[in-house]
Amino acid sequence: MSATGRNTVHSNSVRRPSRSGPAVLFGVLLSLLATILLSAPGAFAREAAEEASTAAPAAASTAAPAAALTEVTGFGSNPSNLQMYLYVPDSVTANPAVVVAVHYCTGSGPAMYSGTEYASLADRYGFIVVYPSVTRASKCFDVSSSQALTRGGGSDPVGIKSMVDWVTRTYSADTGRVFATGISSGAMMTNVLLGDYPDVFAAGAAFSGVPFGCFATTDGSEWNSACSGGTVIHTPREWGDLVRKAYPGYTGARPRMQVWHGTEDDVLRYPNFGEEIKQWTDVLGVSQTPAATDSPQSGWTRTRYGATGGRAPVEAISLQGVGHNLYANGMAARALTFFGLDSSGPAPQPQPGACKVTATTSAWSTGLTGSVTITNTGTTRIEGWKLGFTLPSGQSITNGWGATYSPASGTVTATNATYNGTIAANASVSIGYQANHTGNSSAPATFVLNGATCSGS
């Protein structure tokens, strides 16, 4: 069905499937023209095809039905004939935020709806989700042509921008809270959207992607083997200039970026992860030296650039030993935390202040005992926690209780024990440790709980 269709309302909607099952795994990339496309697992693709076949369009003049995936037609300029699918929760907030969720090669908007948690998270937090869907044979987004890499140049980014404009008009959405996220081809498009339209998108989250402009070609091909192989290397300034060239003369604020990559990615090789970091730290004018490094989950390394909290200018998550199909349930929620959308209401709540930590030490000649009390000052309970802090120079933990501590010195992460992983709203947990010191027996000054900087007392 063409996304440039008539302006009449057909409000039949798609039954919403359950999203409570295990994570949907995405397919592997085949070779271009023969089979260089990413394919979704059979069940995933069949479910998406069934949904797409029953979805009926809503016209550009009418809001879509709530709590159902709906195709919208006639939404505006759409040079590459994309389809627009929309999910609006029953509990949509006034002036809602908008999340654009972009599919992988051979995928579709309905497949992205079925295989990720963005719709269920929209039910919880009241934002709207847009699912662009490619109609060209490859089902890959155009991230290669000069038209796609230029603001207003044509191709897919223009159509996606029209979808965003339609939603903001129809639902009085908050134009300051529009976000993009995607997987593989969708991750590459996330990079492109943030480069082409820095005045539209506040932040992005790219799962297994490449930098803006890396996939550029001049022969009409959709595929760039040098980029996919991780051999396109530039300086930070060169990468940044590619982004700035997309919208010459723009001097406004730039969107924040979160990037994810597996070290064993054999489709879009791991060096692309480092190149994305170089690009977006340059675009955002922050140091390439991490302001914070931690491990939010076993095998993960998270680095933050330009700030230490959950909404740093650039956040990068590297997954050790993981291949191209890294997306799993729970990652969308982490993207929402980065966006600032993981709380209900018309505006994102600031993360600092959601927790409070009181820390004291009792010292003797070469040792000390540290006592730490963590208080959940938020309105929802915490299920599983990691507390990050930096020990003063010369201190080294010898043993502890209430948590496991790693490493023993420097930047330490305390991970909850089995019995105290849940902290109810307004409740507290106390932990402690013993440490050696060489003269400085002070308590740590700053604490970060699950990515949120805690206030002191």
Side-chain angles (χ1 to χ4, degrees), residues 180-182 186-188 190-192 194 203-212 255-262 270-281 284 296 300-305 312-319 326 331 334-335 338-339:
T181 184
M188 293 191 274
T190 297
N191 278 266
V192 169
L194 269 60
F207 296 84
S208 301
V210 303
F212 177 101
R256 297 178 299 110
M257 177 59 98
Q258 181 189 66
V259 295
W260 300 68
H261 223 102
Y270 186 67
N272 284 301
F273 178 66
E275 299 304 294
E276 283 181 293
I277 295 171
K278 286 159 62 176
Q279 182 171 70
W280 291 104
T281 52
L284 287 157
W300 294 14
T301 300
R302 178 172 60 188
T303 48
R304 287 169 169 158
Y305 304 83
V314 178
E315 181 173 279
I317 302 95
S318 172
L319 281 67
L326 64 77
M331 292 181 179
R334 291 182 181 273
F338 181 73
F339 294 164

Side-chain angles (χ1 to χ4, degrees), residues 67-159:
L69 185 68
T70 304
E71 185 182 1
V72 177
T73 63
F75 50 83
S77 178
N78 184 24
S80 57
N81 198 34
L82 297 178
Q83 290 175 290
M84 174 183 175
Y85 291 91
L86 188 70
Y87 183 81
V88 181
D90 282 324
S91 57
V92 64
T93 61
N95 308 119
V98 180
V99 173
V100 179
V102 193
H103 68 73
Y104 44 90
C105 284
T106 75
S108 67
M112 195 71 175
Y113 165 78
S114 300
T116 63
E117 312 97 298
Y118 291 105
S120 61
L121 290 166
D123 289 338
R124 184 183 308 175
Y125 299 120
F127 58 86
I128 292 173
V129 191
V130 177
Y131 300 96
S133 198
V134 170
T135 58
R136 66 176 60 89
S138 69
K139 298 300 174 68
C140 296
F141 285 92
D142 176 13
V143 295
S144 303
S145 72
S146 59
Q147 291 86 354
L149 298 173
T150 304
R151 177 186 176 84
S155 197
D156 297 345
V158 169

Side-chain angles (χ1 to χ4, degrees), residues 176-177 179 202-203 255-258 284 302 304-315 334-343 347-352 448 450-453:
R177 294 193 299 145
F179 305 91
R256 297 178 299 110
M257 177 59 98
Q258 181 189 66
L284 287 157
R302 178 172 60 188
R304 287 169 169 158
Y305 304 83
T308 60
R311 297 175 68 186
V314 178
E315 181 173 279
R334 291 182 181 273
L336 288 195
T337 296
F338 181 73
F339 294 164
L341 295 182
D342 56 346
S343 59
Q349 301 299 311
Q351 295 211 26
V448 178
N450 289 356
T453 301

Side-chain angles (χ1 to χ4, degrees), residues 291-293 308 387-393 395 397 408-413 433 442-448:
T293 301
T308 60
L387 183 70
F389 56 91
T390 300
L391 289 173
S393 178
Q395 291 187 17
I397 294 175
S409 60
T411 302
V412 177
T413 298
Y433 58 88
S442 301
T446 303
F447 293 86
V448 178

